[in-house]
Amino acid sequence: MTKRMFIMLGGIVLLVVVLGLGFFMHIRTLMAAAPKPQAQVVSTMIAKKSSWQPQLESVGTLSAVHGVDVSSEVAGQVRSVNFQSGQDVKAGDVLVQLNADADIAQQHALEAAAELAAITLKRDQAQLAVQGVSQAQVDNDAADLKSKKAQVAQQAALVAKKTIRAPFAGRVGISSVNPGQYLNAGDKIVTLQQIDPIHIDFNLPQSQLAAVSVGQKVVIKTDGTADKTFNGSVNAINPKIDTNTRNVQVQALIANPGRRLLPGMFASASLDTGKQQAYLTLPQTAITYNAYGSTVFVVVAAGKEASAAAGSLVAKQVFVQTGPTRGDQVAILSGVKEGDQVVTSGQVKLKNGIAVAINNSVQPANNPNPTPQEQ
């Protein structure tokens, strides 16, 4: 009986061993037949240093060196308009002539009265020499002559005001008047702007005031002139800080030979400060920002990581300290060294140790001075 029990137990053990071995071989076969993990396709670039010129950047508004809405000091009817809308004019050019016939006639009458006063004074002076009149009479005649001449000058000034001239050289805008129209004193005739050169006014924080000085080079660009830049220099710094914003206003004079810059335009300004510096730079798309810090993925040779079976390269996530930005680029102060192969796109599907495959046929923007693209 005991012998039978041992034989039965031995058979059961043997059966369990055979079944367990068979199950193990089946699992091993399934694991061997399972598809290997696919390498994630990414684009990369080699981190390298580039020379950066430290800059201060701001946005501002363009304004004319001289700009005015031309108007009349006196009322009158427009006799002629002597300019075309959009025309360039010189200082002193006649823009509008008002009807001054009555004023000129009045001037001639006053001139005749002044001439008579001069003759009277001369005659009385001759009479005074022979005691024919008193000194008081001659003095009255002299005063009367001065008064008449002053009236002539006053009337001549009134006549001159009927001829409206350009106060300075520049470009006129669109005319607001027509021949035959009656103008009241102060009515706008046309805008006149001197736009070559042109001013840009912008603000900088008070903390950057020490880096700005009169004569400093300024480069500006606007959306309205595509990728063209314009050069100039700082010509004035406001001696007062705005107590609300703690900013200082800076004005620069910009050369505008093609007159493509117009008053009222929005523009961005860059000021070079200090010496050039070398920074390790990456495209901004390579950086992943989160609450724990900024990270990048670096491509390294595969070690013994299980997930590296599909390839010889794996991704390694590292923390980095970022610095200033310039266009599409960002400076890396620590975490990556020169020569490291850094993932620039496709990192959203990566994790530490995952196999990667590199395809650099398409690269993200990496321009230090990008320009807007027309859609």
Side-chain angles (χ1 to χ4, degrees):
M1 186 70 176
T2 304
K3 185 175 179 181
R4 287 182 178 179
M5 289 181 64
F6 277 114
I7 292 174
M8 184 175 63
L9 290 174
I12 292 173
V13 170
L14 181 61
L15 179 61
V16 169
V17 170
V18 171
L19 291 176
L21 182 60
F23 181 74
F24 173 77
M25 294 301 294
H26 179 67
I27 295 299
R28 185 175 180 181
T29 302
L30 290 177
M31 292 178 63
K36 297 180 180 180
Q38 296 295 319
Q40 300 297 327
V41 179
V42 297
S43 65
T44 64
M45 69 172 294
I46 303 300
K48 58 183 179 180
K49 290 186 177 181
S50 60
S51 181
W52 277 20
Q53 171 65 55
Q55 292 180 332
L56 299 179
E57 295 187 350
S58 183
V59 293
T61 303
L62 299 178
S63 61
V65 173
H66 297 297
V68 67
D69 288 338
V70 180
S71 59
S72 174
E73 290 187 61
V74 296
Q77 187 182 50
V78 177
R79 171 165 287 179
S80 63
V81 177
N82 301 326
F83 66 90
Q84 298 292 329
S85 296
Q87 176 184 344
D88 292 327
V89 297
K90 299 178 181 178
D93 283 356
V94 176
L95 301 180
V96 172
Q97 178 65 58
L98 300 182
N99 186 354
D101 293 345
D103 300 292
I104 293 174
Q106 179 65 23
Q107 180 181 352
H108 291 164
L110 293 174
E111 288 173 347
E115 291 175 2
L116 178 60
I119 294 172
T120 301
L121 174 61
K122 184 177 181 181
R123 182 174 59 244
D124 287 348
Q125 286 174 337
Q127 290 292 324
L128 179 63
V130 294
Q131 302 298 316
V133 295
S134 64
Q135 181 64 44
Q137 180 63 42
V138 174
D139 293 340
N140 287 334
D141 292 341
D144 184 58
L145 176 59
K146 289 182 179 180
S147 176
K148 293 294 193 297
K149 286 183 176 180
Q151 292 176 17
V152 171
Q154 182 181 24
Q155 188 64 24
L158 179 61
V159 171
K161 290 179 180 179
K162 294 295 181 79
T163 302
I164 302 168
R165 301 178 181 273
F168 50 83
R171 178 174 293 176
V172 295
I174 298 174
S175 174
S176 301
V177 299
N178 294 288
Q181 180 180 343
Y182 186 84
L183 283 182
N184 292 310
D187 284 351
K188 177 183 174 181
I189 297 173
V190 70
T191 186
L192 175 62
Q193 305 288 323
Q194 187 181 83
I195 57 177
D196 182 24
I198 196 169
H199 281 150
I200 179 172
D201 298 295
F202 55 93
N203 295 308
L204 291 174
Q206 67 175 28
S207 59
Q208 298 176 345
L209 181 58
V212 184
S213 60
V214 173
Q216 191 170 354
K217 180 183 176 182
V218 178
V219 178
I220 74 166
K221 56 184 178 181
T222 71
D223 294 341
T225 55
D227 58 347
K228 182 174 178 59
T229 59
F230 300 84
N231 300 319
S233 60
V234 174
N235 72 309
I237 301 174
N238 202 331
K240 181 181 179 182
I241 302 293
D242 189 325
T243 55
N244 294 320
T245 62
R246 304 302 175 185
N247 289 339
V248 61
Q249 184 179 0
V250 180
Q251 186 180 79
L253 192 65
I254 307 297
N256 187 26
R259 301 184 181 181
R260 299 175 64 184
L261 300 176
L262 299 177
M265 274 186 171
F266 170 88
S268 60
S270 299
L271 294 82
D272 293 343
T273 61
K275 297 180 180 179
Q276 291 188 349
Q277 299 180 11
Y279 282 113
L280 192 69
T281 62
L282 292 174
Q284 295 200 44
T285 57
I287 314 299
T288 301
Y289 300 94
N290 54 56
Y292 303 101
S294 303
T295 63
V296 300
F297 280 96
V298 179
V299 175
V300 297
K304 296 181 179 180
E305 293 86 347
S307 62
S312 59
L313 298 175
V314 295
K316 179 182 178 182
Q317 190 175 32
V318 296
F319 283 92
V320 294
Q321 180 184 359
T322 58
T325 60
R326 184 180 65 171
D328 299 322
Q329 298 179 345
V330 59
I332 306 300
L333 305 182
S334 64
V336 175
K337 62 182 183 295
E338 191 171 11
D340 284 350
Q341 191 171 18
V342 180
V343 175
T344 56
S345 64
Q347 62 267 51
V348 294
K349 54 190 175 182
L350 300 183
K351 61 182 180 179
N352 258 329
I354 195 169
V356 295
I358 298 174
N359 182 352
N360 290 332
S361 59
V362 178
Q363 284 282 4
N366 190 33
N367 189 344
N369 298 296
T371 56
Q373 300 295 320
E374 295 293 337
Q375 298 296 328

